[in-house]
Coordinates of all heavy atoms in Angstrom, one line a residue:
L1 N 206.1 85.4 88.2 CA 205.8 84.7 86.9 C 206.1 83.2 87.0 O 205.3 82.5 86.4 CB 206.7 85.4 85.9 CG 206.4 86.9 85.5 CD1 207.3 87.4 84.5 CD2 204.9 87.1 85.1
L2 N 207.1 82.8 87.7 CA 207.4 81.4 87.9 C 206.2 80.7 88.5 O 205.8 79.6 88.1 CB 208.7 81.2 88.6 CG 209.0 79.8 89.0 CD1 209.4 79.0 87.7 CD2 210.2 79.7 90.0
A3 N 205.7 81.3 89.6 CA 204.6 80.7 90.4 C 203.4 80.6 89.5 O 202.7 79.5 89.5 CB 204.3 81.5 91.7
G4 N 203.1 81.6 88.8 CA 201.9 81.6 87.9 C 202.0 80.6 86.8 O 201.1 79.9 86.5
F5 N 203.2 80.5 86.2 CA 203.4 79.6 85.1 C 203.3 78.2 85.6 O 202.6 77.3 84.9 CB 204.8 79.8 84.5 CG 205.2 78.9 83.4 CD1 204.3 78.6 82.4 CD2 206.5 78.4 83.3 CE1 204.7 77.8 81.3 CE2 206.9 77.6 82.2 CZ 205.9 77.3 81.2
S6 N 203.8 77.9 86.8 CA 203.7 76.5 87.3 C 202.3 76.2 87.7 O 201.8 75.1 87.4 CB 204.6 76.4 88.6 OG 204.6 75.1 89.1
A7 N 201.6 77.2 88.3 CA 200.2 76.9 88.7 C 199.3 76.7 87.5 O 198.3 76.0 87.5 CB 199.7 78.1 89.4
A8 N 199.6 77.3 86.3 CA 198.8 77.1 85.1 C 198.9 75.7 84.5 O 198.0 75.3 83.7 CB 199.3 78.1 84.0
T9 N 200.0 75.0 84.8 CA 200.1 73.6 84.3 C 199.6 72.6 85.3 O 199.7 72.8 86.5 CB 201.6 73.3 84.0 OG1 202.4 73.3 85.2 CG2 202.2 74.3 83.0
G10 N 199.0 71.6 84.9 CA 198.5 70.5 85.8 C 197.0 70.5 85.8 O 196.4 69.4 85.5
P11 N 196.2 71.6 86.1 CA 194.8 71.5 86.2 C 194.1 71.0 84.9 O 193.3 70.1 85.0 CB 194.4 72.9 86.6 CG 195.5 73.4 87.3 CD 196.7 72.9 86.7
A12 N 194.5 71.6 83.8 CA 193.9 71.2 82.5 C 194.2 69.7 82.2 O 193.4 69.0 81.7 CB 194.4 72.1 81.4
F13 N 195.5 69.3 82.5 CA 195.9 68.0 82.3 C 195.1 66.9 83.1 O 194.6 66.0 82.6 CB 197.4 67.9 82.8 CG 198.1 66.6 82.4 CD1 198.9 66.6 81.2 CD2 198.1 65.5 83.3 CE1 199.5 65.4 80.9 CE2 198.8 64.4 82.9 CZ 199.6 64.4 81.7
A14 N 194.9 67.3 84.4 CA 194.1 66.4 85.3 C 192.7 66.3 84.9 O 192.1 65.3 84.8 CB 194.3 66.8 86.7
D15 N 192.1 67.5 84.6 CA 190.7 67.6 84.3 C 190.4 66.8 83.0 O 189.4 66.1 82.9 CB 190.2 69.0 84.2 CG 188.8 69.1 83.8 OD1 187.9 68.7 84.5 OD2 188.5 69.6 82.6
M16 N 191.2 67.0 82.0 CA 191.0 66.3 80.8 C 191.1 64.8 80.9 O 190.4 64.0 80.3 CB 191.9 66.8 79.7 CG 191.6 66.3 78.3 SD 192.5 67.0 77.0 CE 191.7 68.6 76.8
G17 N 192.0 64.4 81.9 CA 192.1 62.9 82.2 C 190.8 62.4 82.7 O 190.3 61.3 82.3
Y18 N 190.1 63.1 83.6 CA 188.8 62.7 84.1 C 187.8 62.6 82.9 O 187.0 61.7 82.8 CB 188.3 63.7 85.1 CG 189.2 63.9 86.4 CD1 189.2 65.1 87.0 CD2 189.9 62.8 86.9 CE1 190.0 65.2 88.2 CE2 190.7 63.0 88.0 CZ 190.7 64.2 88.7 OH 191.5 64.3 89.8
D19 N 187.8 63.6 82.1 CA 186.8 63.7 81.0 C 187.1 62.5 80.0 O 186.1 61.9 79.5 CB 186.9 65.0 80.2 CG 186.4 66.2 81.1 OD1 185.7 65.9 82.0 OD2 186.8 67.3 80.8
F20 N 188.3 62.2 79.7 CA 188.6 61.1 78.8 C 188.3 59.8 79.4 O 187.8 58.9 78.7 CB 190.1 61.1 78.4 CG 190.5 62.2 77.4 CD1 191.9 62.4 77.1 CD2 189.6 62.9 76.7 CE1 192.2 63.4 76.2 CE2 190.0 63.8 75.8 CZ 191.3 64.1 75.5
K21 N 188.4 59.7 80.7 CA 188.0 58.4 81.4 C 186.5 58.2 81.3 O 186.0 57.2 81.0 CB 188.4 58.5 82.9 CG 187.9 57.3 83.7 CD 188.6 56.0 83.3 CE 188.3 54.9 84.2 NZ 189.0 53.6 83.9
T22 N 185.7 59.3 81.4 CA 184.3 59.3 81.2 C 184.0 58.8 79.8 O 183.1 57.8 79.6 CB 183.6 60.7 81.4 OG1 183.9 61.1 82.8 CG2 182.1 60.6 81.2
G23 N 184.6 59.4 78.8 CA 184.3 58.9 77.4 C 184.8 57.5 77.2 O 184.1 56.7 76.5
H24 N 185.9 57.1 77.8 CA 186.4 55.7 77.6 C 185.4 54.7 78.1 O 185.1 53.7 77.4 CB 187.7 55.6 78.4 CG 188.3 54.2 78.3 ND1 189.0 53.8 77.2 CD2 188.4 53.3 79.3 CE1 189.4 52.6 77.4 NE2 189.1 52.2 78.7
I25 N 184.8 55.0 79.2 CA 183.7 54.1 79.8 C 182.5 54.1 78.8 O 182.0 53.0 78.5 CB 183.4 54.4 81.2 CG1 184.5 54.2 82.2 CG2 182.1 53.7 81.7 CD1 184.3 54.8 83.6
L26 N 182.0 55.2 78.5 CA 180.9 55.3 77.7 C 181.0 54.7 76.3 O 180.1 54.2 75.7 CB 180.4 56.8 77.5 CG 180.1 57.6 78.7 CD1 179.7 59.0 78.4 CD2 178.9 56.9 79.5
R27 N 182.2 54.7 75.8 CA 182.5 54.1 74.4 C 182.8 52.6 74.5 O 183.3 52.1 73.5 CB 183.6 54.9 73.8 CG 183.3 56.3 73.4 CD 184.3 57.0 72.6 NE 185.5 57.4 73.4 CZ 185.7 58.5 74.0 NH1 184.8 59.5 74.0 NH2 186.8 58.7 74.7
G28 N 182.7 52.0 75.6 CA 182.9 50.6 75.7 C 184.2 50.1 76.2 O 184.7 49.0 75.9
E29 N 185.0 51.1 76.8 CA 186.3 50.8 77.4 C 187.3 50.3 76.4 O 188.1 49.3 76.7 CB 186.1 49.8 78.6 CG 185.2 50.4 79.7 CD 185.2 49.5 81.0 OE1 186.3 49.4 81.6 OE2 184.1 49.0 81.3
G30 N 187.3 50.9 75.3 CA 188.3 50.6 74.3 C 188.1 49.3 73.5 O 189.1 48.9 72.7
K31 N 187.0 48.7 73.5 CA 186.8 47.4 72.8 C 186.8 47.7 71.3 O 187.2 46.8 70.5 CB 185.5 46.7 73.2 CG 185.6 46.1 74.7 CD 184.3 45.5 75.1 CE 184.5 44.8 76.4 NZ 184.8 45.8 77.5
D32 N 186.2 48.8 70.9 CA 186.3 49.3 69.5 C 187.3 50.4 69.4 O 187.0 51.6 69.7 CB 184.9 49.7 69.0 CG 184.9 50.1 67.6 OD1 185.9 50.4 67.0 OD2 183.7 50.2 67.0
K33 N 188.5 50.1 69.1 CA 189.6 51.1 69.2 C 189.4 52.3 68.3 O 189.6 53.5 68.6 CB 190.9 50.5 68.8 CG 191.5 49.6 70.0 CD 193.0 49.3 69.8 CE 193.5 48.6 71.0 NZ 195.0 48.3 70.9
A34 N 188.8 52.0 67.1 CA 188.6 53.2 66.1 C 187.5 54.1 66.7 O 187.7 55.3 66.6 CB 188.1 52.6 64.8
F35 N 186.5 53.6 67.3 CA 185.4 54.4 67.9 C 186.0 55.2 69.1 O 185.7 56.4 69.3 CB 184.3 53.5 68.3 CG 183.0 54.3 68.6 CD1 182.2 54.9 67.7 CD2 182.6 54.4 70.0 CE1 181.1 55.6 68.0 CE2 181.5 55.1 70.3 CZ 180.7 55.7 69.4
E36 N 186.8 54.5 69.9 CA 187.5 55.2 71.0 C 188.3 56.3 70.6 O 188.3 57.4 71.2 CB 188.3 54.1 71.8 CG 189.2 54.6 72.9 CD 188.5 55.4 74.0 OE1 187.3 55.1 74.2 OE2 189.1 56.2 74.7
I37 N 189.2 56.1 69.6 CA 190.1 57.2 69.2 C 189.3 58.3 68.6 O 189.6 59.5 68.9 CB 191.1 56.6 68.2 CG1 192.0 55.6 68.9 CG2 191.9 57.7 67.5 CD1 192.9 54.8 67.9

């Protein structure tokens, strides 16, 4: 259970980081903070 619990954390964190980076670039790299948020 410990191995499974540990394996479950991290992938979603990293993948969402990639997705947010994509959105950050498409939205103008944070120049319009309200739009970015």
Side-chain angles (χ1 to χ4, degrees):
L1 294 177
L2 175 67
F5 181 39
S6 181
T9 63
F13 191 91
D15 176 66
M16 190 172 282
Y18 298 149
D19 293 337
F20 283 170
K21 177 67 174 184
T22 298
H24 180 73
I25 293 172
L26 297 178
R27 291 186 289 267
E29 301 189 60
K31 290 179 175 64
D32 183 339
K33 283 194 175 184
F35 192 72
E36 167 63 22
I37 292 169

